[in-house]
Amino acid sequence: MSLKYSILLIIFLLGTNSYKSGPAPSGQNQLSENSKRTLLYLVNQARSKGCKCGNLRMPPVAAVTWDEQLEAAAEKHSLDMYKNGFLGHNGSDGSTFSARITREGFKWSGCAENIAEGYETEREVIDGWLNSPGHCRNLMSPHYRYMGIGRVGNYWTQDFAGRQ
């Protein structure tokens, strides 16, 4: 392989952290470990600085920790939305986000969910949620200390919770 093609391949591999809307792996979160770290970093960066959610100023709050049970609930909801072609907080089986989080065994004291469709990168989806007052308030809430995100195709689900 020539040096020119090697450099192009490296640039492509380093710059590829977005996904297209093509076929999603069945039941599998499309987020790499690097994507999860990036999402957690972006959320905690916003939480550490505080921000304005619509007309409401949100002060800095403690960081959230990634939680695999919340990730599983989020991933399954993203898969449901992807397979059934809808965007909504109620699942195709009528489940609510609190029921899906409970199903994964997370004992929560409060929970919230952000959903999105169409974003291709981690930064785009976090910026989208930060620019939506309700989603932003969920992301900035001091009541939530744990987070998980699932992505299938370009359907994203972000679940937050506090522990009992």
Side-chain angles (χ1 to χ4, degrees):
M1 184 181 302
S2 74
L3 179 60
K4 177 182 172 184
Y5 289 116
S6 296
I7 291 171
L8 288 174
L9 178 61
I10 290 168
I11 291 169
F12 173 77
L13 291 173
L14 289 174
T16 304
N17 68 348
S18 63
Y19 303 92
K20 302 301 175 199
S21 292
S26 179
Q28 184 176 353
N29 199 347
Q30 286 184 269
L31 297 176
S32 67
E33 290 304 314
N34 188 48
S35 292
K36 293 175 193 179
R37 282 190 297 276
T38 299
L39 288 160
L40 187 61
Y41 170 79
L42 292 170
V43 168
N44 284 330
Q45 182 181 44
R47 288 174 68 91
S48 72
K49 293 178 182 178
C51 65
K52 198 167 182 185
C53 298
N55 293 327
L56 182 62
R57 176 75 185 140
M58 301 294 287
V61 293
V64 292
T65 301
W66 193 273
D67 183 88
E68 290 181 3
Q69 291 172 312
L70 294 176
E71 177 188 352
E75 176 185 329
K76 288 174 183 173
H77 189 56
S78 291
L79 180 63
D80 183 27
M81 291 189 296
Y82 177 86
K83 282 185 172 180
N84 294 294
F86 73 95
L87 182 69
H89 291 286
N90 288 335
S92 61
D93 63 355
S95 63
T96 62
F97 62 86
S98 58
R100 291 188 296 272
I101 291 169
T102 299
R103 243 187 247 159
E104 295 303 321
F106 192 101
K107 301 206 182 311
W108 51 270
S109 60
C111 58
E113 179 175 86
N114 290 339
I115 56 173
E117 189 268 328
Y119 296 102
E120 293 190 20
T121 69
E122 295 87 354
R123 181 162 301 277
E124 285 176 358
V125 75
I126 297 300
D127 286 348
W129 284 327
L130 287 170
N131 287 314
S132 167
H135 294 106
C136 180
R137 285 191 300 273
N138 286 342
L139 195 143
M140 293 300 298
S141 174
H143 302 293
Y144 308 130
R145 298 298 304 269
Y146 301 93
M147 176 190 84
I149 297 178
R151 176 186 185 178
V152 178
N154 281 333
Y155 286 88
W156 301 77
T157 304
Q158 180 181 43
D159 285 334
F160 291 100
R163 269 198 208 282
Q164 287 184 346

